Amino acid sequence: MVLASLAALAGLGLAAVVFEAAMVAHLDDPILQAPTRIYGRPLVLYLGMRPGRATVEEQLERLGYVPSSSRDVGSGEYRLGRRSWIIGQRVFRHHDMLTSGGTATVRLGNDGRITGLEDASGRRQVYVALEPELIGTFLGASYKDHVPVRLSDVPDHLVEAVLSVEDQRFFEHRGLDLVRIAGATLANMRAGRVVQGGSTLTQQLARTLFLSPRRTLIRKAREIAIALALEWRHGKQEILEAYLNEVYLGQDGGIAIHGVGRAAQYYFAKDVSALDLSEAATLAALIRGPNIYSPFRRPQAVRARRDLVLRMMEERGAISDEEALGARDAQLEVRETQRPPRSVRYFLDYVGEQLDAGNRDAFSGGGLAVFTTLDMRLQSAAEGAVREGLKQLEAQYPDLLRLDSPLQAALVAIDPRSGEILTMVGGRDYGSSQFNRAVKARRQPGSAFKPIVSIAALSRRGWDPDDDERPFTLASVLHDERLVVQTPQGPWEPVNYDRRFRGPIALRDALERSLNVPFARLGMAVGPQRIVETARALGIGGPLIAVPSIALGSNEVTPLELTRAYGVLAAGGYRAESRAVLGALDREGNVIARNDLTGEQVYDPAEAYLVTSALRGAVERGTGRGLRTMGYRGDVAAKSGTTNDFRDGWFIGYTPSLAVGVWVGFDDGQSIDLPGARVALPIFTRFLVAALGEYGDSGPYGGAEFTHPPGLEMVEIDPRTGLRAGPGCRGTYELFLRGTAPRQSCSPWFRVIRYLGAGEFRFDDEVARLRRQLLRLLERDGRRRGGGNRFE
């Protein structure tokens, strides 16, 4: 009775195993299981650019290019000379271009600028684009990284290497190799330990696809049943292709590398079809134990295993003696692993939220390629600036060092002309905190909001030209004296950072010196609602409340929002829509998504430049002058920001081609007890020097300078009164929108002219009548002065 029961249970167990095998033993098309791959911004070399040899060489190395060891430069190789560079481009399909491969020649002038670009045939080119760098993958639930390949794309010597060492009788058995099992059993008994395995490729594939790694007799029975079912249901070519795509070949950090396609890229920076015999034998050697035979950690072990594979191939007649000898003599050259900075994960999370309204599953599989705006060189520089900046702050100010909730920072950089997000660091360490402060942390900007108030005051939007009330100018005199404003919440009394008053002061000086009381008065004169509308026009989309304190940055914004607003000023009033994704291709290389440049001219270039002019002054004379003392000499406009009780420190600035925002603070809002110019400015400067060079003329975003747009005039102004300078009252030159400069002069002669004119003197309609009288008076004084020079 007991034996019958055991037999019945065994029969049921066998039936269950057979049923499971019949149900699960299906091979899906490996191409459909490919992860979505995310690429960064490609390096594009163009005429007149001054990229810098170090920048180009770093990018080539990150892409896996190697210096050419011969006169001819092959695909994936380069040679950088003093006056010319030769790059062996690889074939790559981008969402809006096709890099067809071949050599590209870059010719340089004495100053390092590109003077010529040629393809392999000597034809002149407008630009040369390298392929973009892989910055991440959306792996789906499997968390496996592989690049699916067709069996026809795998070189014969790689197939032979795998079969020689793993399953020499693959094409003879039907999933279970009894001959090999017997031989392995005998060898293991003789050695007294496991020295050989008897599993076929089909059994290994069954384990990889359908079973857990735990070794039990039941799992072995299931493995055999599934292998037999696979052989019954699929052909040998299908099984071999699936095995080559699924075999485990190592780890890239926490991500498992599966398949020869991805392994060829990871270890040799090559397409699998380009592997030579030595490299193919090395991949086959890894199958037994990718970690035991890691080329990075145990090169001698993997070399010995590679030579064993070559000897087995030679014994089988798969290669000749000469081929085996040449492959054994070859150096084991694996690529130096250069993983993207950890901070890239903040950007990848942001991209995932942008794709399909945050539905990342739609892009997690199917072999899609998504092209983004991230510049890996700048991202590395940004991560380094944040890391070193916070480290230095904590060393200088030990009170900032907290283990429970450490000091945090965020840095974001955009191209103001296109809205492309070039860098994004959402915190000091993604591993310890995945909260992306660059896009999700809403904090008060403090004085960093004043440029928004300034353009609200200086702009002529909504101003009636026939109205006697003129818009504010940079020379408008504001009053720096005690101010108390009654609000529903009680009296509000703004104070300056040093709690001093300076009396009458020009708008420009108030902005450069970041004085609160004059700007509070300016905000009330302009109107809180107009300031809200201005912030919206500049791209700030979060909640904003129209209260008097808005002029001093009491409303909360994110670093990305504020940097984007400054970017509108950098782009001459053009608001480009922010972009992180440029486009996407499906697995066949077809364009399935494009995100082209869109935007709107929200302010006149001349209006935007007035604010830029003042922010350039803030760098030279005001709260941003630390930029110069820290070593940045290039053209830049910038502003610091500090909030009440020193909870937040900001520094935002821009060149014509790069807008950068930095925030520093504690997540819980505790005081850092330091202003933005002390905590955020050093991080900003580190990044800017790394991105553009000391003089702002290096790299893809360097060399741009601010220029006066049309519609401005420069007039000499008395800074004490804000009136035109003239005989008897000297002044300084100031920029004005054409037609907005003061009409009255501080000159004592002005009163004489008014008297002679018998009425109110207006330059625009009475100059002709009074010209002779005015010239005589000026000659008598011995000086000739005009109304100023105009910039058209």
Side-chain angles (χ1 to χ4, degrees):
M1 185 68 180
V2 174
L3 292 177
S5 298
L6 292 176
L9 288 174
L12 289 175
L14 179 61
V17 169
V18 173
F19 178 76
E20 177 196 41
M23 293 298 293
V24 304
H26 294 274
L27 295 179
D28 295 325
D29 188 341
I31 303 299
L32 298 177
Q33 305 306 310
T36 290
R37 312 189 80 76
I38 313 298
Y39 294 91
R41 184 187 184 100
L43 176 62
V44 179
L45 306 175
Y46 52 87
L47 293 174
M49 178 182 177
R50 189 180 179 186
R53 177 188 175 118
T55 297
V56 174
E57 189 163 25
E58 176 188 351
Q59 182 67 23
L60 289 170
E61 289 176 353
R62 293 192 67 88
L63 292 171
Y65 282 66
V66 296
S68 175
S69 57
S70 64
R71 182 171 183 177
D72 295 329
V73 176
S75 176
E77 298 180 338
Y78 66 89
R79 185 167 64 243
L80 305 183
R82 190 175 66 88
R83 297 295 298 272
S84 68
W85 301 337
I86 301 178
I87 302 172
Q89 293 179 278
R90 303 187 185 114
V91 177
F92 194 90
R93 177 80 168 94
H94 201 268
H95 80 286
D96 62 353
M97 71 176 79
L98 173 64
T99 303
S100 57
T103 58
T105 301
V106 182
R107 304 197 183 280
L108 306 169
N110 292 329
D111 60 353
R113 297 189 184 276
I114 296 176
T115 58
L117 296 166
E118 301 169 7
D119 63 11
S121 301
R123 292 190 296 265
R124 295 181 179 179
Q125 303 295 307
V126 177
Y127 65 87
V128 168
L130 301 179
E131 69 262 35
E133 182 177 351
L134 179 68
I135 63 173
T137 52
F138 290 163
L139 301 174
S142 67
Y143 217 63
K144 297 189 300 186
D145 189 8
H146 61 166
V147 177
V149 295
R150 294 298 185 193
L151 185 60
S152 58
D153 296 326
V154 180
D156 291 340
H157 49 256
L158 176 54
V159 174
E160 291 294 339
V162 172
L163 294 178
S164 295
V165 73
E166 293 297 325
D167 193 349
Q168 295 186 8
R169 289 167 41 82
F170 174 72
F171 288 103
E172 300 172 27
H173 62 69
R174 296 300 299 172
L176 199 64
D177 189 351
L178 298 178
V179 174
R180 185 178 182 189
I181 291 174
T185 302
L186 183 60
N188 294 337
M189 291 176 62
R190 287 174 178 171
R193 58 190 178 89
V194 177
V195 294
Q196 286 187 22
S199 296
T200 63
L201 288 189
T202 315
Q203 288 177 265
Q204 295 180 42
L205 180 62
R207 280 201 305 266
T208 301
L209 290 179
F210 307 113
L211 301 173
S212 71
R214 185 181 179 187
R215 295 185 177 185
T216 65
L217 290 176
I218 294 177
R219 194 205 71 169
K220 195 66 177 179
R222 295 168 63 200
E223 173 191 306
I224 292 172
I226 293 173
L228 294 173
L230 287 173
E231 291 275 352
W232 175 73
R233 185 168 286 150
H234 298 280
K236 287 290 186 180
Q237 300 294 325
E238 288 181 89
I239 293 173
L240 182 57
E241 181 179 88
Y243 178 85
L244 293 173
N245 277 297
E246 294 294 341
V247 61
Y248 172 65
L249 289 169
Q251 289 286 135
D252 182 8
I255 299 175
I257 297 172
H258 284 259
V260 295
R262 178 67 182 119
Q265 292 181 352
Y266 180 70
Y267 291 110
F268 304 110
K270 288 184 175 182
D271 185 82
V272 66
S273 62
L275 293 177
D276 60 29
L277 177 57
S278 174
E279 294 163 342
T282 300
L283 288 191
L286 293 176
I287 296 175
R288 183 178 181 183
N291 298 318
I292 297 174
Y293 298 105
S294 170
F296 302 116
R297 296 192 299 272
R298 304 189 66 185
Q300 296 301 322
V302 73
R303 184 184 178 94
R305 179 77 176 166
R306 178 203 66 179
D307 292 347
L308 172 63
V309 173
L310 292 170
R311 185 166 66 251
M312 297 176 73
M313 294 177 70
E314 184 181 1
E315 292 172 353
R316 291 184 65 222
I319 57 174
S320 65
D321 296 347
E322 292 79 8
E323 289 174 321
L325 179 61
R328 278 193 292 268
D329 290 341
Q331 294 292 324
L332 183 63
E333 296 182 352
V334 292
R335 65 170 290 184
E336 181 181 355
T337 57
Q338 296 195 35
R339 297 186 183 94
R342 179 180 285 189
S343 61
V344 169
R345 293 297 311 173
Y346 290 113
F347 181 77
L348 291 176
D349 289 347
Y350 180 72
V351 168
E353 294 167 1
Q354 300 299 303
L355 294 175
D356 200 16
N359 182 14
R360 190 180 305 183
D361 291 340
F363 289 84
S364 298
L368 304 185
V370 177
F371 300 97
T372 72
T373 59
L374 193 76
D375 187 302
M376 285 300 297
R377 185 181 71 89
L378 296 189
Q379 183 69 21
S380 297
E383 182 178 293
V386 168
R387 181 181 60 251
E388 296 302 318
L390 293 179
K391 180 180 177 181
Q392 184 179 39
L393 280 172
E394 291 170 339
Q396 290 177 334
Y397 307 100
D399 289 344
L400 296 177
L401 185 59
R402 288 172 42 183
L403 299 180
D404 57 335
S405 179
L407 186 65
Q408 294 288 350
L411 188 155
V412 63
I414 65 173
D415 184 336
R417 302 161 298 186
S418 63
E420 296 175 6
I421 300 172
L422 304 176
T423 67
M424 181 179 287
V425 178
R428 70 184 298 160
D429 179 34
Y430 182 86
S432 59
S433 173
Q434 292 78 51
F435 180 63
N436 191 345
R437 296 156 188 84
V439 297
K440 294 183 178 179
R442 309 200 72 85
R443 309 292 289 243
Q444 291 181 339
S447 292
F449 201 77
K450 288 174 181 172
I452 298 174
V453 180
S454 298
I455 197 168
L458 297 170
S459 170
R460 289 182 290 194
R461 289 181 58 171
W463 170 61
D464 183 358
D466 296 328
D467 195 338
D468 288 338
E469 288 293 328
R470 302 276 174 156
F472 284 90
T473 71
L474 290 174
S476 295
V477 175
L478 307 176
H479 296 286
D480 186 13
E481 54 192 37
R482 186 178 180 226
L483 173 67
V484 179
V485 180
Q486 298 299 326
T487 72
Q489 292 75 34
W492 174 61
E493 184 176 358
V495 295
N496 295 322
Y497 64 91
D498 58 0
R499 299 186 175 276
R500 294 174 50 221
F501 298 111
R502 291 161 179 80
I505 189 169
L507 193 158
R508 172 190 285 275
D509 293 335
L511 180 57
E512 290 181 357
R513 297 162 68 176
S514 196
L515 298 178
N516 290 336
V517 177
F519 259 84
R521 293 182 181 276
L522 179 65
M524 294 179 63
V526 171
Q529 186 58 43
R530 180 177 173 88
I531 296 174
V532 169
E533 295 168 358
T534 300
R536 296 282 184 241
L538 294 175
I540 295 178
L544 296 173
I545 304 174
V547 294
S549 60
I550 191 175
L552 304 186
S554 63
N555 281 264
E556 295 178 339
V557 296
T558 68
L560 179 58
E561 284 180 330
L562 194 56
T563 304
R564 182 188 181 195
Y566 276 60
V568 177
L569 302 175
Y574 179 76
R575 187 192 67 213
E577 296 302 320
S578 297
R579 294 187 293 166
V581 176
L582 296 174
L585 304 178
D586 64 15
R587 61 181 178 272
E588 304 298 335
N590 301 310
V591 178
I592 59 173
R594 291 182 66 97
N595 187 14
D596 295 328
L597 170 65
T598 59
E600 179 184 359
Q601 190 73 38
V602 293
Y603 284 99
D604 186 274
E607 295 171 344
Y609 187 79
L610 290 179
V611 182
T612 296
S613 173
L615 295 183
R616 293 172 75 185
V619 171
E620 302 301 334
R621 299 175 293 275
T623 57
R625 57 186 180 276
L627 267 171
R628 300 309 189 201
T629 60
M630 288 190 63
Y632 184 72
R633 312 298 179 200
D635 209 359
V636 62
K639 182 74 183 71
S640 63
T642 308
T643 57
N644 289 339
D645 299 324
F646 299 95
R647 291 190 180 94
D648 305 276
W650 297 78
F651 201 82
I652 319 289
Y654 55 89
T655 72
S657 57
L658 191 67
V660 183
V662 177
W663 167 86
V664 176
F666 288 109
D667 286 339
D668 58 10
Q670 287 200 21
S671 173
I672 53 179
D673 204 30
L674 292 167
R678 296 286 292 277
V679 296
L681 183 149
I683 296 175
F684 180 97
T685 309
R686 285 177 187 271
F687 172 75
L688 208 61
V689 171
L692 305 180
E694 179 183 353
Y695 292 93
D697 58 354
S698 299
Y701 311 101
E705 296 180 351
F706 293 112
T707 58
H708 288 235
L712 292 173
E713 61 180 348
M714 185 172 283
V715 177
E716 191 177 4
I717 295 296
D718 173 26
R720 299 168 302 173
T721 62
L723 302 178
R724 281 180 182 257
C729 62
R730 302 179 62 85
T732 58
Y733 282 94
E734 184 56 272
L735 282 172
F736 294 88
L737 299 177
R738 187 182 299 125
T740 63
R743 299 169 179 175
Q744 293 185 334
S745 172
C746 62
S747 171
W749 294 108
F750 182 77
R751 291 189 295 272
V752 176
I753 296 171
R754 287 193 63 184
Y755 174 76
L756 293 174
E760 183 182 0
F761 178 79
R762 294 180 180 272
F763 275 84
D764 53 357
D765 56 11
E766 296 192 28
V767 165
R769 185 173 61 83
L770 298 175
R771 179 179 177 81
R772 292 183 180 178
Q773 297 178 18
L774 177 60
L775 287 176
R776 283 198 299 269
L777 291 170
L778 291 175
E779 289 171 359
R780 192 177 306 161
D781 191 65
R783 288 169 294 184
R784 296 182 66 103
R785 290 182 184 271
N789 297 322
R790 294 196 175 194
F791 290 86
E792 300 296 337

